[in-house]
Amino acid sequence: MKVNGNEMAITLRHDANLTALPFCNETLRQINEFYTLPPTVDKRKPSVYIPVKKAIEGCFTSRLTFDNIGELFEILVDDVSFDLLINRKVEKTAYRNVKALSFELRGNNKEALYLRINIAETRKSFIENWEYNTPDIRFKPETKTYLFDGHNIFYSVNGNARTIPLVYRFTLNGSLNDCRKYVLNLYFPFTDEFFPKNRLIEKLVIPIASGIYLELNELKPLSDETSTDCADAVLCKQGFNVTGLIKLIIKTRTQYREIEL
């Protein structure tokens, strides 16, 4: 990606694997906190700033592709640390041993799937310049980006599986603190075929691509924000607490993986 005419690149390093990410957005930085000693009364000695805390924070966003989807979901698992190598053209910075703090997976019908990950530091985190022997790999523009198809989501209630007629948008938010919490929001036109108010959904499956899908279990309804004040179709927003397992399942000719959150 080019930002203000400069070529930018972001690389994820996890378990010695280097994965080039399509550069969409990143706000990684180090926050410094200081304790201030005021100047002397006669102003002969100016204010003194004493550093008391440094913290790495920020986020990055990536489109989902076959090359990166597995590695991106792997770093959302418990107690996983990773490195982020940022090439901002004018500087090349490595954020070492950071972890995922929270995430948002979102998709609009017929558009790219995006994953935003907020990061936090660990006890072993630090920032440095790139090692001279670290390759500067770049995301290949011809790499296929996964698109969300809102017509193929299916769910199971009381053992009966059905397909939702259309989901034009969804978001899955995860808080990865000690008490993990996952919330799914579905946006869809109201139909008699699917309106999950006050019903526990045993399983909901979001297809990512052929042989790759996201499985969510034990969805408890949270809210219903249906708007009936419209001349056309009634638009619904339904929220769920995901209380069971979340699994990314990859079944292709070259690999089989199940990643549990």
Side-chain angles (χ1 to χ4, degrees):
M1 177 180 180
K2 289 189 176 181
V3 179
N4 295 330
N6 291 325
E7 220 176 85
M8 313 286 284
I10 180 169
T11 304
L12 168 67
R13 180 158 70 179
H14 172 236
D15 288 342
N17 297 322
L18 291 172
T19 304
L21 303 179
F23 192 99
C24 300
N25 184 32
E26 63 90 7
T27 62
L28 302 177
R29 61 200 180 277
Q30 185 176 62
I31 302 299
N32 299 317
E33 295 183 7
F34 297 90
Y35 174 74
T36 305
L37 291 177
T40 57
V41 176
D42 56 8
K43 304 293 184 180
R44 291 183 178 179
K45 290 186 179 181
S47 300
V48 178
Y49 299 94
I50 302 174
V52 294
K53 182 181 178 181
K54 294 182 178 180
I56 300 173
E57 62 179 40
C59 70
F60 69 95
T61 303
S62 176
R63 302 191 307 275
L64 295 185
T65 71
F66 178 78
D67 293 334
N68 69 29
I69 187 171
E71 292 299 319
L72 286 172
F73 273 82
E74 284 283 3
I75 65 176
L76 302 179
V77 180
D78 278 331
D79 299 323
V80 170
S81 61
F82 54 93
D83 298 342
L84 288 170
L85 312 177
I86 312 297
N87 184 348
R88 300 186 178 104
K89 194 66 174 180
V90 295
E91 63 176 0
K92 298 173 70 173
T93 308
Y95 296 83
R96 305 290 190 190
N97 301 318
V98 296
K99 66 177 182 178
L101 179 65
S102 61
F103 72 88
E104 179 185 75
L105 174 65
R106 67 181 185 272
N108 291 329
N109 188 38
K110 305 302 181 183
E111 296 182 10
L113 288 156
Y114 287 90
L115 179 63
R116 187 190 75 234
I117 298 177
N118 297 306
I119 71 162
E121 63 178 15
T122 66
R123 292 183 178 180
K124 297 181 179 180
S125 297
F126 61 96
I127 299 175
E128 65 175 1
N129 295 326
W130 281 22
E131 300 165 353
Y132 72 92
N133 58 347
T134 301
D136 186 5
I137 62 175
R138 299 299 179 100
F139 178 78
K140 298 178 181 179
E142 64 272 16
T143 303
K144 184 178 179 180
T145 295
Y146 291 143
L147 304 180
F148 170 56
D149 187 348
H151 292 88
N152 289 325
I153 292 181
F154 69 88
Y155 66 103
S156 176
V157 175
N158 297 327
N160 298 317
R162 295 181 179 178
T163 300
I164 303 176
L166 170 64
V167 173
Y168 63 87
R169 186 170 187 262
F170 83 91
T171 60
L172 174 64
N173 293 88
S175 176
L176 306 180
N177 294 319
D178 294 335
C179 183
R180 291 192 161 214
K181 182 178 180 181
Y182 304 98
V183 176
L184 174 72
N185 287 307
L186 297 178
Y187 302 79
F188 54 92
F190 174 78
T191 68
D192 292 335
E193 299 175 63
F194 180 76
F195 191 67
K197 184 178 180 181
N198 298 324
R199 288 198 300 177
L200 174 68
I201 294 180
E202 297 161 2
K203 181 187 296 185
L204 186 139
V205 177
I206 301 174
I208 305 296
S210 177
I212 303 175
Y213 53 93
L214 191 64
E215 180 185 295
L216 298 86
N217 294 275
E218 304 297 326
L219 280 67
K220 295 182 179 180
L222 272 177
S223 61
D224 166 30
E225 298 179 15
T226 302
S227 173
T228 59
D229 186 18
C230 57
D232 199 358
V234 177
L235 303 179
C236 307
K237 175 192 173 185
Q238 180 77 57
F240 299 88
N241 257 336
V242 185
T243 60
L245 282 178
I246 297 178
K247 295 193 292 184
L248 176 71
I249 301 174
I250 303 175
K251 294 181 180 179
T252 66
R253 293 180 180 179
T254 57
Q255 65 174 313
Y256 175 80
R257 298 171 72 180
E258 286 193 12
I259 303 170
E260 295 185 359
L261 304 186

